[in-house]
Amino acid sequence: MASVVAAPASGPVAAHRGDRLFGVVLAAAALAVPLLLGGLLLALLAGAWPAVQRFGLTFFAGSTWDPVTHEFGALPFIYGTLVSSTLGLSMAVPLGLGVAIFLSELAPGWLRVPVGFLVELLAAVPSVVFGLWGIFILVPWVRSVLTPLVKGALGFLPLFDGPPLGIGMLAAGLILAIMVVPFIVAVGTSVMRAVPTTQREAALALGATRWETTRRAVLPYARSGIMGAVFLALARALGETMAVTMVIGNVPQIKASLLAPAYTIPAVIANEFTEATSDLYVAALIYTAVALFIVTVVVNAAARLLVGRAARDAVLGE
């Protein structure tokens, strides 16, 4: 009489089931991200719907913000957010890249670790601490030292017209530059140190100096990563709330002068949300959040395109 031997539960079949379960769990986690993003956008649109019905797309082009007469336009806040972030980034990128090049290419080992640690520590400082430092140190310095110097040299330009208030777009840009520098330094240093040593050795073997090696062998190879670092810093600057709120002046206006007070989208939401006394006022504030969401998505999409193009150019140039 023949006997039938049952196959063990463990073995290749069980391993295959485990792989499938693992794949399902990971796919669910990956799908959760776009679902969360879509849910966030729907919740914002639902809260902003009264303002969407009342103002439509003219909300983004209007420059009047008057809760008394229920007239709301987000253009001064969009302008303040974009200009302050761009100004901060224009100061942070040269400084951050310089520090990253020094740490990855030039600094001796005994100096690289402590300086890198201090730069990363700067990223851990809460934004409210930066705001307090800005009020008591940065703003008086901008008012009494920086503004007279700038007006004396470039006062004929509309960018530096107006009285020396201290608070304003220039102070906001300075504090944003200080806050985003650690992101550029940390990511920039990592991507430059990831460049293969053979790249540097080949350039040095051809007689290149340290600067020529960095410029011709290291920076082109790390270009896509550096651009990613810059746009990561830009996304950080666009969403910064507390520190900017404390130094920018919080006046919803569009002025060419960097010395004039301004307002940003995160600042107006933080300042006025608890004081909104009508449904339309609350909806208008949520509508500004939709504007910030759109600006952030557009900037990040542009970053992805630029990084992808830079990566393709780097591959084709090899």
Side-chain angles (χ1 to χ4, degrees):
M1 180 178 178
S3 61
V4 178
V5 180
S10 60
V13 176
H16 184 64
R17 289 175 180 171
D19 286 346
R20 285 194 298 179
L21 179 61
F22 184 65
V24 169
V25 171
L26 292 184
L31 288 175
V33 176
L35 289 177
L36 182 64
L37 195 64
L40 176 62
L41 181 59
L42 288 177
L44 287 176
L45 289 175
W49 192 245
V52 174
Q53 289 182 307
R54 172 73 177 272
F55 304 109
L57 294 179
T58 60
F59 179 79
F60 301 112
S63 58
T64 301
W65 186 265
D66 190 351
V68 177
T69 60
H70 286 176
E71 288 296 327
F72 299 103
L75 188 58
F77 310 114
I78 297 173
Y79 173 81
T81 302
L82 293 177
V83 172
S84 62
S85 300
T86 304
L87 182 62
L89 208 62
S90 66
M91 293 182 276
V93 169
L95 177 62
L97 284 183
V99 176
I101 291 173
F102 174 74
L103 291 178
S104 64
E105 304 299 320
L106 303 175
W110 60 269
L111 186 60
R112 181 179 301 157
V113 174
V115 172
F117 173 75
L118 290 176
V119 171
E120 292 177 2
L121 192 64
L122 193 63
V125 177
S127 60
V128 68
V129 176
F130 278 110
L132 289 173
W133 176 81
I135 288 177
F136 293 110
I137 304 297
L138 180 64
V139 169
W141 180 76
V142 170
R143 180 173 55 241
S144 60
V145 178
L146 183 60
T147 301
L149 286 175
V150 172
K151 287 181 72 67
L154 303 171
F156 60 92
L157 296 175
L159 284 176
F160 304 106
D161 187 24
L165 300 176
I167 58 173
M169 194 72 82
L170 182 58
L174 284 170
I175 206 163
L176 280 175
I178 297 170
M179 294 181 71
V180 303
V181 156
F183 294 91
I184 300 174
V185 173
V187 179
T189 303
S190 298
V191 297
M192 289 182 204
R193 295 186 68 180
V195 174
T197 307
T198 53
Q199 291 282 115
R200 299 178 178 85
E201 292 176 346
L204 292 172
L206 292 174
T209 62
R210 295 291 297 273
W211 162 241
E212 290 171 337
T213 300
T214 302
R215 185 166 62 91
R216 293 182 179 274
V218 177
L219 291 180
Y221 203 92
R223 181 168 50 187
S224 60
I226 292 172
M227 293 182 67
V230 171
F231 281 100
L232 177 65
L234 177 59
R236 174 75 173 84
L238 287 172
E240 174 52 37
T241 305
M242 189 54 66
V244 174
T245 303
M246 297 169 80
V247 301
I248 199 170
N250 301 324
V251 178
Q253 60 181 2
I254 298 176
K255 296 284 188 181
S257 176
L258 300 179
L259 306 179
Y263 222 157
T264 64
I265 294 175
V268 70
I269 294 173
N271 280 335
E272 300 187 15
F273 200 83
T274 57
E275 300 174 357
T277 54
S278 66
D279 292 340
L280 185 61
Y281 192 0
V282 173
L285 288 171
I286 298 175
Y287 206 4
T288 60
V290 175
L292 181 61
F293 184 90
I294 294 172
V295 169
T296 305
V297 170
V298 169
V299 168
N300 280 280
R304 297 283 298 179
L305 291 175
L306 287 174
V307 170
R309 178 175 297 178
R312 286 196 301 272
D313 292 344
V315 171
L316 293 175
E318 288 179 347

